[in-house]
Amino acid sequence: MYSKAFVEALEQKSCDIRGDILMMLKEAKSGHSGGSLSSVEILTALYFYKMKHNPMNPDWDGRDYFILSKGHVCPALYTALAHSGYFPREELKTLRKFGSRLQGHPHWLKLPGLETSSGSLGQGLSVANGMALALKLDKKPNRVYCLLGDGELQEGQIWEAAMTSAHYGLDNVCAIVDYNNLEIDGYVEEVMGIHPLVEKWLSFNWHVHECDGNDITSVIRALDHASQMKRKPSVIIAHTTKGKGVSFMEDVDLWHGKTPSPEQLEQALSQLDGACSVFKPWN
Amino acid sequence: MLMAEKMKDKKLEATRFGFAKALVELGKEDPNVVVMDADLAKSTLTKNFADVYPERFFDMGIAEQDMLSTAAGFAKMGKIPFACTYGVFVAGRAWDQIRTTICYGEFNVKIGGMHGGISVGPDGATHQALEELALMRVLPNMTVIVPCDTKEAYKATMASAKEIKGPVYLRFGREGVPILTTDEDPFVVGKANVMREGSDCAIIACGFMVGEALDAAKELEEEEGIKCRVVNIHTIKPIDKEAIIAAAKDCGCVVTAEEHQLAAGFGSAVAEVVCQNQPVPMKMVGISDRFGESGEPWELFEAFHITWKDIKKAVKEAVAMKKA
Ligand SMILES: Cc1ncc(C[n+]2csc(CCOP(=O)(O)OP(=O)(O)O)c2C)c(N)n1
């Protein structure tokens, strides 16, 4: 269904984005590694395959909208935006620095390509609903995507919003859960379990799609499937690995809010090198 | 005299009626106006809008946090959402949503905070918003408006949609309050209205307390010859500094009056201006660090010491401080 060359190009893009995330986090010396890395394929699939958008004209009203509810993984979003052409890749180096457009948590009034400001968890799905309701009022076909963390689902507001999307039949909303099993204090199931997740969304009257969230083909298949659904909102439960792509970060809670040292970066990039050959480091 | 007796001869209407009338008017003028409520539409009177424009009315259920963030989404797409429920619930429970998503994002969301103040009456402390002006006025990009009567409520609501691009918090009351202004009186956001001239003491008030201030000023002049200037500050943020400084300068002492906690509220906002620009003796009438309770509205005003009598007492104290 999807050509091999196309899938390989997206895999290459994911690899490049991973490399840039690691480099910008090393530069910034603070920020969120684990959840950024787990969401790379999701963002790649959205920005380089699924979403209609125009980096030359970020305000284009024909665009689909992406709401990053788990704002702390903005390094992944910033990198996807830079690679799309919203701003120079060089600027990624300024993450979290004074005067930078790349705030520690995203602020839409500073950087083209961002749609909202986030960082306080639990609010993005409601915002997506408001946008989707407005699009319905205006009889517009644009879609609204919203990326949520699995720990974030512990926020009660998420479930208020889940009721709203279903109540108003917002089939133009697609929520994506980055189901990496970890939050700050440890495994989600140990901190405050969200299991059984599929059943929860089903009982809230959503279409539910599951995929391997670190496999491009699986993600784009789920996105294509979701966009065909009518009358109900769709959620994609994307099974991922926190810290994906870097052996010593994978599935380790400590890497949630930790950044690589220069030595660790080198080691991490060499692991990416093995997977993909084209990635070009800065400097 | 008891407050209940005093209120008997006055023509009363609750400010939420002026708000509801304006919403319907705005709905007619601008198809981008949408209204949201959290299961209190019959009480907030957003139902009046819903009856005429059902396709632009959204009941969000009892979910204030979701309502406020959804409002931000509407605003993002160019709509002008009014999100309404009781002030305690909207300002308290959804404060983080208002702060981070709406104010930081500079979204054009209008918040109708109903049941402001102790005049809510029998429902008691849980429903009497006495802290929400403090919660709202500390937020960057936020405009905070407290209309003094139903006519000002109408004008404030119209202005919030037509003249302000950005978040606005509007406080309305449940109980009928005296009509103090006319349709012709000016209403300019951020501009205070002098309701009575005088130079012995300035009484600076907002909302319902403007009427109490006028009653106090009248009696003070008749009984003691003390002439008070009464300043109605409907816009608490951004506050009219010029009017406050002029009042402090011309009168030499200031009394503030509010139906709200004294800490961080309206009187504090006035004091911030006075002490930095034109320091003069000040007295503040308001709720002193306690929760409300059940009772009839005017009975509660007596019990919590926020009537015209309390203003009179404060004026005499302020004037004495000035002379000392
Ligand atoms: C309302 C709120 N509470 C707490 C935090 C602090 N915080 C930042 S990230 C995080 C954990 C998020 O876990 P999850 O949603 O699973 O994200 P991921 O694992 O993908 O990084 C927490 C608690 C926050 N940003 N917002």
Side-chain angles (χ1 to χ4, degrees), chain A residues 112-176:
Chain A
L114 296 177
E115 302 288 5
T116 58
S117 305
S118 54
S120 177
L121 292 167
Q123 303 184 29
L125 187 55
S126 305
V127 178
N129 284 339
M131 297 168 71
L133 282 165
L135 288 165
K136 291 257 177 201
L137 270 183
D138 293 342
K139 306 201 173 12
K140 288 190 178 159
N142 320 42
R143 292 178 61 74
V144 188
Y145 292 91
C146 177
L147 182 62
L148 304 165
D150 50 358
E152 185 183 13
L153 301 185
Q154 292 158 350
E155 283 285 358
Q157 189 185 343
I158 295 289
W159 303 100
E160 297 180 2
M163 276 189 268
T164 298
S165 331
H167 181 81
Y168 287 105
L170 299 178
D171 52 13
N172 49 351
V173 165
C174 178
I176 305 164

Side-chain angles (χ1 to χ4, degrees), chain A residues 165-211:
Chain A
S165 331
H167 181 81
Y168 287 105
L170 299 178
D171 52 13
N172 49 351
V173 165
C174 178
I176 305 164
V177 178
D178 183 351
Y179 202 171
N180 59 29
N181 295 308
L182 279 172
E183 54 187 307
I184 295 180
D185 284 348
Y187 286 108
V188 173
E189 278 320 300
E190 285 169 17
V191 175
M192 180 52 65
I194 57 173
H195 189 77
L197 193 55
V198 171
E199 287 81 350
K200 277 197 176 65
W201 288 98
L202 282 173
S203 73
F204 274 73
N205 215 9
W206 284 60
H207 290 294
V208 182
H209 318 260
E210 283 186 273
C211 73

